[in-house]
Amino acid sequence: MNSLSTPQSIIWFTVHKSASEYIRAEILPKLAQELDMKYIDYEGDYWLRGKSFKDTLINHKKPSHFFNPVGCIYGPFRQFYQEIPSLGNYKVVLMLRDPRDALTSLYFSLAYSHYLPERRKAEVENVRKLALKSTIDDYVLEKSYSFFDTYKKYCEQSLGLPNVLFLKYEDMVNDLKNWLNTLINFIQFEASQNFVNHLVKQANFEVKEDIYAHKRQVKPGDHRRKLKVKTIRLLNEKFNQILHQLAYISGDSYENLELDQLLLHQAREQLARSQALMQQYQDQLQKSSDLVRSD
C-alpha cells in the first residue's frame, strides 16, 4: 500500500529494445494497481492507432492536458519528451540498455519478429524489407545515429537529477529482485512481499534464442556475438562518452584488449570452419575416387 495519500506521478523513460514491452505489460500496470494509481501508455496507444503521440504533444495548445503530477504512471516512453511540462514535479525512471546490444536487438526485431498491427502493417512490413536487405552491421551503424541522439538527450537532460532514478536493463535481467527493490525504494512505498515475489516468479529471462520470437534472447553482451569487431569499434568510438558515463566501458585500453581477443577468437572459429569444409571436400573426393576404381 502506498504511504502517501496523493502519490507523486511517475514517468518511465527508456529506449527501444530495453525490455519496454515487458515493462509495459508486467511492471507498470501491476505497480499502478499496487499503488492505486492510474496507468497510461500514451506512446503505445497512439502507435497502435496509427498516430504519433510525440506529434500530438508538440502540436497541442496545452501539453499539460495530458499529464497530472499526482496519481498516475506514464510510459514507457522510448524517447525523451522535453515537451512534458514541469518534468521536475514527477518521479522519473530512466531505464537504459547498452546501446550496442539495443541496436543489435533492434535489427533482429525489425527484420524478423516485430508485431504487425493492422493500422501500421504496411509501414512495419516496409521497415522489415529494408532490414532484410541490409547486413546486421550496416543496419546497426545506420541506426546508431538516432540512438546516439536519444542517449545523448537522456544523459544531458535527465541523468543525475534528484528526481530521476537510473536503472539498467542488465541489472533487471541478472537480479530482478534487487532491481525491483531499488525501484520500490525510489518510489517510496511499502510493497508487499507477495507483490515482489509474484513479479520475480512470473519473469522468464532464461530463453532459448529464436530470431522469430519477440523475446529473442536477453543475455547482455549480444553485440559481441553478432557484430563484427570493426563494427563494435566504430560504435565504441561513436558512443564513447555515453558508454563511460553509463559505466558500460570502464577503460578504453581494457575494451580494446577484449576486442583484440574477440577478433582472434573469431579468426580461429573461421579457420576451424574452413578446415572442416576442406575435410568434407577431401572425403567426398576420396569416395568419388574409390567409386571410379571399383568400376
Side-chain angles (χ1 to χ4, degrees):
M1 181 179 294
N2 180 30
S3 60
L4 301 175
S5 56
T6 55
Q8 191 176 9
S9 289
I10 302 164
I11 296 180
W12 194 285
F13 286 118
T14 186
V15 293
H16 287 286
K17 308 314 299 176
S18 293
S20 55
E21 276 301 301
Y22 171 71
I23 297 299
R24 181 197 63 80
E26 298 296 330
I27 299 296
L28 297 188
K30 293 176 181 178
L31 187 62
Q33 184 177 16
E34 183 78 4
L35 288 167
D36 194 24
M37 297 172 73
K38 185 177 182 180
Y39 172 52
I40 302 173
D41 177 21
Y42 282 131
E43 197 174 78
D45 291 343
Y46 272 71
W47 190 81
L48 288 174
R49 286 151 48 189
K51 299 180 180 180
S52 165
F53 177 65
K54 179 82 169 180
D55 292 342
T56 301
L57 190 62
I58 291 174
N59 296 322
H60 201 277
K61 293 181 180 179
K62 292 184 177 181
S64 58
H65 168 79
F66 295 96
F67 295 93
N68 189 333
V70 295
C72 298
I73 297 179
Y74 301 98
F77 293 116
R78 297 165 182 85
Q79 56 183 308
F80 183 66
Y81 283 70
Q82 60 187 21
E83 297 81 10
I84 299 176
S86 305
L87 197 56
N89 292 333
Y90 299 82
K91 287 185 179 293
V92 175
V93 177
L94 174 60
M95 179 173 169
L96 298 177
R97 183 181 187 179
D98 185 326
R100 300 165 298 180
D101 279 348
L103 283 162
T104 301
S105 182
L106 180 70
Y107 170 79
F108 284 100
S109 175
L110 295 180
Y112 299 103
S113 65
H114 200 287
Y115 171 58
L116 300 174
E118 190 59 36
R119 294 190 178 185
R120 288 188 177 270
K121 187 174 182 180
E123 174 188 345
V124 176
E125 285 181 337
N126 184 55
V127 170
R128 178 164 297 169
K129 289 178 182 178
L130 291 174
L132 289 171
K133 287 181 180 179
S134 175
T135 66
I136 183 174
D137 293 272
D138 288 342
Y139 197 84
V140 160
L141 291 175
E142 179 188 350
K143 292 298 180 181
S144 67
Y145 293 94
S146 60
F147 261 63
F148 175 80
D149 289 340
T150 300
Y151 276 79
K152 188 172 184 288
K153 287 179 181 178
Y154 279 144
C155 289
E156 290 179 349
Q157 302 185 45
S158 296
L159 202 63
L161 296 179
N163 67 314
V164 177
L165 170 67
F166 172 49
L167 294 176
K168 283 188 173 183
Y169 164 93
E170 293 80 7
D171 293 336
M172 181 195 73
V173 171
N174 292 327
D175 189 352
L176 179 59
K177 191 168 187 177
N178 186 59
W179 182 90
L180 282 169
N181 286 330
T182 301
L183 174 62
I184 289 167
N185 289 336
F186 173 73
I187 296 173
Q188 296 179 325
F189 83 101
E190 295 180 5
S192 67
Q193 195 59 45
N194 287 337
F195 172 72
V196 175
N197 290 341
H198 173 75
L199 289 177
V200 172
K201 185 178 180 180
Q202 292 298 314
N204 178 23
F205 298 138
E206 295 295 331
V207 296
K208 184 177 180 180
E209 183 164 353
D210 179 1
I211 62 173
Y212 297 102
H214 177 77
K215 187 161 60 174
R216 177 184 59 88
Q217 77 88 41
V218 299
K219 294 180 180 179
D222 197 40
H223 69 280
R224 295 195 176 194
R225 297 183 283 271
K226 300 296 191 300
L227 302 179
K228 295 178 180 178
V229 171
K230 179 181 179 181
T231 303
I232 298 174
R233 292 192 193 278
L234 290 172
L235 292 175
N236 286 352
E237 182 179 352
K238 186 175 190 63
F239 288 89
N240 187 268
Q241 184 176 346
I242 291 170
L243 290 170
H244 280 86
Q245 191 171 359
L246 301 181
Y248 284 115
I249 288 181
S250 56
D252 290 327
S253 297
Y254 182 73
E255 173 72 10
N256 288 330
L257 176 61
E258 287 195 329
L259 289 178
D260 288 340
Q261 292 174 340
L262 177 60
L263 186 61
L264 179 60
H265 175 72
Q266 291 176 350
R268 286 171 174 168
E269 286 188 329
Q270 181 61 45
L271 177 61
R273 287 192 292 268
S274 299
Q275 289 174 335
L277 289 173
M278 179 61 72
Q279 186 62 51
Q280 290 177 10
Y281 173 75
Q282 290 176 343
D283 291 343
Q284 291 173 355
L285 191 62
Q286 184 63 48
K287 288 180 181 179
S288 298
S289 177
D290 292 343
L291 286 173
V292 171
R293 285 197 297 269
S294 64
D295 289 341

